C-alpha cells in the first residue's frame, strides 16, 4: 500500500530492475540484497516520497491505454488531495503488468505556488493543488515580475463546494433563514475564515461574497475587514473553532474539509450550503511546461484514472469534476451540482484581500484652524465632534497598523503651518495608542489661526514618501473644514505639480481627504486626492462626521476602487 509523507526531500532511492535481476542470479546473496532493498524502501518512506507501481523485473513499461503508467511520474500534491491521489495510483495497474513508477510528494499548494511565482523551475512532472486558483495566482505573480510560470493547467479531476460548517443546531437555524454569503452583512452568526493567503477555499468564498453583493465594494470592504479580525491559519483551526464556540459560529470552508475533519476528530459538524451563490473549488492537474511526450501520456493516464474514480473521490470527501455529489443526499441543495469559481477571478479576490488587510501606515493631518470652534450642534463644536470621531477611527484600526498625528492651521511654528503632535508608532504599543487617543481628545486646546492647507498637505506627503514602508498602505488622512488661507505659500496648481513629482503609482502615498461642512473647498480636496490615487469625502451635516471618518479609515486599503 502506498503512503504519502510530508517531507519532500528524498534521502534514499527505490530498488531498481537491475538490482532485482542480480538478486535472481546470486542466490546465496539474496537475503543480503533483500535487507538492502528494505533499508532503501525505509529511507524513502522517511524522506516523504512513496514509489507506486514499480516496473516488474525484466519487463518493459506497458503500452498506453492498458491502465498503466507508461513513464515514471513525479507528483507534488496538496495534503487535502494527496490521500485520494495515492489511493488511485495504488490501484492503477499491477506491478506484474509492467506499470511504471509514480512518486507522490506532499506539499501545501501555497508553498508550491510561491516557489513558481518566484521563478523556481518545477521539480515535478505534475502538480495537483487543492484549487485551480493557485496556478492562476502563480502565473499572475510571475507576470508582474516579467517572468512566465513554466506550467500548463490541465483538466479538472475533482471539485468540492464552498460551505458554512456549523453544529447541527446552528446549521438548522441557518438553513431556515436561507443564509448565504450576503448574510454576512447582517452578521447573524460569527464567521471564522481560514487565512486566504494559504487556504484556497477562503479566496473562493471572497469571490462568492463579491458576487452575492453584486459589486457593492463598500459593503464588501466592511465585511472583509470584519472577517479579518477573526482569521485563523488553517481550515482545521476554523472547524475546531466552530465546533467549540459557545455561541453560534460557522467556519467558511469546503465540503471536503468538513468531511475530513469529522472523520479525523469524530466531530459532528454539518455543511450548510449558501442560499445565494453556489460556488465550488476545482482540483486540476498542472503539468510542467518542460514535460516530455512520454511523461504527458503517463500524466494523462493518471488524470483520467482520478477523474473516473468516483468512489475514491467520495471516500475522501470530493465530488466529481462536474460538481455532482457521488452519493445522494437528503438535502436538495447538497444534491445540486456546484459551479467551480473562475480561477483568475479567485486569484484577483485573493489580491484584493491582501490589499484590504495590509498593515496601514497613516499620518492623520488635522485642521485646527479657528473655524473648527464654530458650533456644529446645540451643544458641540466641529472640533468636539471630530475628537469623538477620531477616537472611534483609531479604535477601528488593527494592531499591526502604525499612525502619527499632525495638526495644521497657520504659522504654528514660526512660518510653518503644520506641527507634529504624536510621532509615527505602532498601535500594537498600548502606550502609543493611548497617546493617539489623548491627542485626539485634546485637539480643542490647539484650535486657532487660519487654514494653511496646501503647504501642510505637501509636507505630510513628502514625509510619508521619505519614510515609505513597502508592503504597507502608506497614506495621509486629511481632515479639514475650510479652504487654503495661506497667501504666502503654495497655490493649488503648484501643490498639484509637486504632488505629481512625488507620485509613484507602484508605491503610492494616497491622500484620503475629508471635508467637514458646507464651507469646505471640496473641489480642491478632490484634485488633491486624484493626484495621489486617493479619495475625497464630504460630511455636509455635523452628525455625518463620525460616519464619514470611520468609513474613510476602514476603506483605506481599497482606494481608489472602493465604489
Amino acid at each position: 500500500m502506498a503512503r504519502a509523507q510530508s517531507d519532500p526531500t528524498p534521502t534514499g532511492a527505490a530498488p531498481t530492475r537491475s538490482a532485482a535481476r542480480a538478486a535472481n542470479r546470486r542466490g546465496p546473496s539474496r537475503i543480503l540484497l533483500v535487507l538492502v532493498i528494505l533499508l532503501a524502501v525505509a529511507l524513502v518512506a522517511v524522506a516523504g516520497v512513496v514509489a507506486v507501481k514499480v516496473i516488474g523485473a525484466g519487463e518493459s513499461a506497458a503500452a498506453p491505454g492498458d491502465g498503466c503508467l507508461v513513464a515514471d511520474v513525479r507528483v507534488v500534491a496538496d495534503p487535502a488531495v494527496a490521500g485520494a491521489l495515492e489511493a488511485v495510483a495504488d490501484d492503477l495497474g499491477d506491478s506484474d503488468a509492467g506499470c511504471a513508477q509514480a512518486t507522490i510528494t506532499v506539499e501545501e499548494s501555497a508553498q508550491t505556488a510561491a516557489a513558481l511565482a518566484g521563478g523556481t523551475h518545477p521539480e515535478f512532472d505534475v502538480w495537483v493543488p487543492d484549487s485551480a486558483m493557485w496556478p492562476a495566482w502563480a502565473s499572475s505573480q510571475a507576470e508582474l515580475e516579467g517572468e512566465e510560470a513554466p506550467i500548463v493547467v490541465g483538466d479538472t479531476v475533482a471539485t468540492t463546494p464552498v460551505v458554512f460548517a456549523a453544529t447541527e443546531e446552528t446549521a438548522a437555524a441557518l438553513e431556515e433563514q436561507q443564509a448565504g454569503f450576503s448574510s454576512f452583512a447582517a452578521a447573524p452568526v460569527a464567521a471564522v475564515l481560514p487565512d486566504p493567503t494559504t487556504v484556497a477555499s477562503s479566496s473562493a468564498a471572497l469571490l462568492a461574497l463579491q458576487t452575492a453583493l453584486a459589486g457593492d465594494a463598500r459593503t464588501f470592504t466592511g465585511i472583509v475587514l470584519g472577517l479579518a479580525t477573526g482569521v485563523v491559519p488553517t481550515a482545521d483551526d476554523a472547524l475546531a473553532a466552530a465546533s467549540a464556540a459557545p455561541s453560534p459560529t460557522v467556519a467558511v470552508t469546503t465540503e471536503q474539509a468538513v468531511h475530513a475533519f469529522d472523520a479525523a476528530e469524530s466531530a459532528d459538524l454539518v455543511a450548510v450550503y449558501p442560499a445565494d451563490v453556489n460556488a465550488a473549488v476545482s482540483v486540476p492537474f498542472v503539468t510542467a511546461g518542460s514535460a516530455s511526450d512520454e511523461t504527458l501520456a503517463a500524466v494523462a493516464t493518471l488524470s483520467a484514472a482520478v477523474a473516473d474514480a468516483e468512489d475514491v473521490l467520495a471516500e475522501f470527501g470530493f465530488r466529481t469534476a462536474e460538481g455532482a455529489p457521488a452519493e445522494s443526499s437528503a438535502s436538495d441543495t447538497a444534491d445540486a451540482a456546484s459551479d467551480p469559481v473562475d480561477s483568475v477571478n479567485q486569484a484577483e479576490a485573493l489580491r484584493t484581500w491582501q490589499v484590504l488587510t495590509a498593515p496601514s501606515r497613516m499620518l492623520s493631518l488635522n485642521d485646527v484652524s479657528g473655524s473648527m470652534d464654530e458650533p456644529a450642534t446645540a451643544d458641540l463644536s466641529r472640533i468636539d465632534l471630530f475628537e469623538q470621531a477620531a477616537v472611534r477611527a483609531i479604535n477601528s484600526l488593527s494592531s499591526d497598523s502604525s499612525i502619527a498625528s499632525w495638526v495644521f492651521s497657520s504659522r504654528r511654528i514660526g512660518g510653518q503651518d503644520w506641527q507634529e503632535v504624536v510621532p509615527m508608532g505602532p498601535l500594537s504599543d498600548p502606550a502609543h495608542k493611548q497617546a493617539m487617543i489623548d491627542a485626539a481628545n485634546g485637539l480643542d486646546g490647539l484650535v486657532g489661526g487660519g487654514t494653511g492647507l496646501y503647504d501642510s498637505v505637501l509636507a505630510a506627503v513628502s514625509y510619508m514618501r521619505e519614510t515609505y514602508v513597502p508592503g504597507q498602505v502608506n497614506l495621509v488622512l486629511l481632515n479639514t473644514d475650510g479652504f487654503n488661507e495661506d497667501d504666502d505659500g503654495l497655490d493649488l496648481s503648484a501643490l498639484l505639480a509637486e504632488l505629481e513629482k512625488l507620485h509613484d503609482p507602484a508605491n503610492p502615498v494616497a491622500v484620503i481627504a475629508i471635508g467637514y461642512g458646507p464651507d469646505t473647498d471640496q473641489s480642491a480636496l478632490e484634485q488633491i486626492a486624484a493626484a495621489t490615487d486617493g479619495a475625497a469625502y464630504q460630511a455636509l451635516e455635523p452628525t455625518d462626521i463620525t460616519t464619514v471618518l470611520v468609513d474613510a479609515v476602514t476603506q483605506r486599503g481599497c482606494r481608489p476602487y472602493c465604489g
Side-chain angles (χ1 to χ4, degrees), residues 280-350:
V281 173
S282 57
V283 178
F285 263 42
V286 181
T287 54
S290 58
S292 67
D293 290 343
E294 186 179 40
T295 297
L296 291 175
V299 170
T301 299
L302 182 58
S303 173
V306 175
D308 290 341
E310 293 186 18
D311 55 339
V312 176
L313 293 175
E315 179 186 350
F316 287 89
F318 286 101
R319 297 189 179 201
T320 65
E322 292 73 28
E327 298 178 0
S328 62
S329 167
S331 168
D332 292 338
T333 304
D335 280 341
S338 295
D339 299 322
V341 297
D342 181 87
S343 57
V344 174
N345 286 335
Q346 187 182 347
E348 186 61 34
L350 173 57

Side-chain angles (χ1 to χ4, degrees), residues 32 54 64 136 186 201 210 246 250 252 275 336-337 371 414 422 508 545:
L32 177 60
V54 183
S201 60
Q210 286 181 323
V250 300
V252 183
S371 58
V422 181
I545 291 178

Side-chain angles (χ1 to χ4, degrees), residues 24 356 514:
N24 290 330
L356 290 176
I514 306 175

Side-chain angles (χ1 to χ4, degrees), residues 57-68:
E59 298 176 355
S60 60
D66 64 0
C68 283

Side-chain angles (χ1 to χ4, degrees), residues 361-368 386 403-409 412 416-424 436 439-440 443 446 455-467 476-479:
R361 188 169 174 274
M362 179 190 302
L363 192 161
S364 181
L365 181 62
N366 306 312
D367 187 346
V368 290
F386 178 73
I403 189 170
S405 177
W406 288 15
V407 296
F408 69 96
S409 54
R412 298 200 62 84
Q416 179 178 299
D417 294 332
W418 65 94
Q419 175 186 352
E420 181 183 79
V421 178
V422 181
M424 189 68 70
M436 285 296 303
L443 291 174
L446 302 175
D455 285 3
S456 299
V457 169
L458 180 59
V461 173
S462 297
Y463 167 80
M464 294 298 289
R465 169 58 59 206
E466 292 166 1
T467 59
V476 173
L477 181 65
L478 169 62
N479 304 283

Side-chain angles (χ1 to χ4, degrees), residues 47-108:
V49 179
V50 56
V52 184
K53 306 306 173 194
V54 183
I55 297 175
E59 298 176 355
S60 60
D66 64 0
C68 283
L69 298 179
V70 296
D72 291 347
V73 181
R74 299 169 302 164
V75 182
V76 170
D78 185 89
V81 300
L85 187 64
E86 177 192 348
V88 173
D90 206 26
D91 290 336
L92 185 60
D94 189 293
S95 60
D96 294 331
C99 294
Q101 172 179 302
T103 59
I104 301 174
T105 300
V106 184
E107 184 173 86
E108 297 285 349

Side-chain angles (χ1 to χ4, degrees), residues 265-538:
E265 303 296 332
S266 299
D268 198 22
L269 291 176
V270 177
V272 179
Y273 300 84
D276 47 12
V277 179
N278 199 18
V281 173
S282 57
V283 178
F285 263 42
V286 181
T287 54
S290 58
S292 67
D293 290 343
E294 186 179 40
T295 297
L296 291 175
V299 170
T301 299
L302 182 58
S303 173
V306 175
D308 290 341
E310 293 186 18
D311 55 339
V312 176
L313 293 175
E315 179 186 350
F316 287 89
F318 286 101
R319 297 189 179 201
T320 65
E322 292 73 28
E327 298 178 0
S328 62
S329 167
S331 168
D332 292 338
T333 304
D335 280 341
S338 295
D339 299 322
V341 297
D342 181 87
S343 57
V344 174
N345 286 335
Q346 187 182 347
E348 186 61 34
L350 173 57
R351 282 190 289 272
T352 299
W353 166 272
Q354 291 172 318
V355 169
L356 290 176
T357 58
S360 294
R361 188 169 174 274
M362 179 190 302
L363 192 161
S364 181
L365 181 62
N366 306 312
D367 187 346
V368 290
S369 60
S371 58
M372 290 293 285
D373 251 346
E374 292 182 8
T377 67
D379 303 316
L380 299 171
S381 65
R382 291 177 181 176
I383 196 67
D384 292 332
L385 289 177
F386 178 73
E387 286 177 343
Q388 296 174 7
V391 171
R392 281 194 59 190
I394 292 167
N395 286 326
S396 74
L397 293 169
S398 62
S399 60
D400 59 0
S401 297
S402 297
I403 189 170
S405 177
W406 288 15
V407 296
F408 69 96
S409 54
S410 59
R411 297 176 175 82
R412 298 200 62 84
I413 303 175
Q416 179 178 299
D417 294 332
W418 65 94
Q419 175 186 352
E420 181 183 79
V421 178
V422 181
M424 189 68 70
L427 286 177
S428 58
D429 178 1
H432 182 73
K433 183 173 183 177
Q434 189 59 52
M436 285 296 303
I437 292 173
D438 292 343
N441 285 324
L443 291 174
D444 58 323
L446 302 175
V447 173
T451 307
L453 176 61
Y454 299 156
D455 285 3
S456 299
V457 169
L458 180 59
V461 173
S462 297
Y463 167 80
M464 294 298 289
R465 169 58 59 206
E466 292 166 1
T467 59
Y468 189 90
V469 177
Q472 298 189 11
V473 179
N474 295 257
L475 60 90
V476 173
L477 181 65
L478 169 62
N479 304 283
T480 182
D481 74 334
F483 53 90
N484 185 66
E485 297 176 321
D486 184 358
D487 296 333
D488 296 328
L490 297 168
D491 61 15
L492 180 58
S493 60
L495 170 62
L496 296 177
E498 291 299 320
L499 293 177
E500 179 65 26
K501 293 177 185 177
L502 291 171
H503 185 51
D504 178 358
N507 299 291
V509 174
V511 174
I512 297 180
I514 306 175
Y516 299 109
D519 300 328
T520 304
D521 187 350
Q522 199 65 23
S523 175
L525 296 186
E526 290 173 358
Q527 293 179 71
I528 291 169
T532 61
D533 284 344
Y537 292 83
Q538 188 171 22

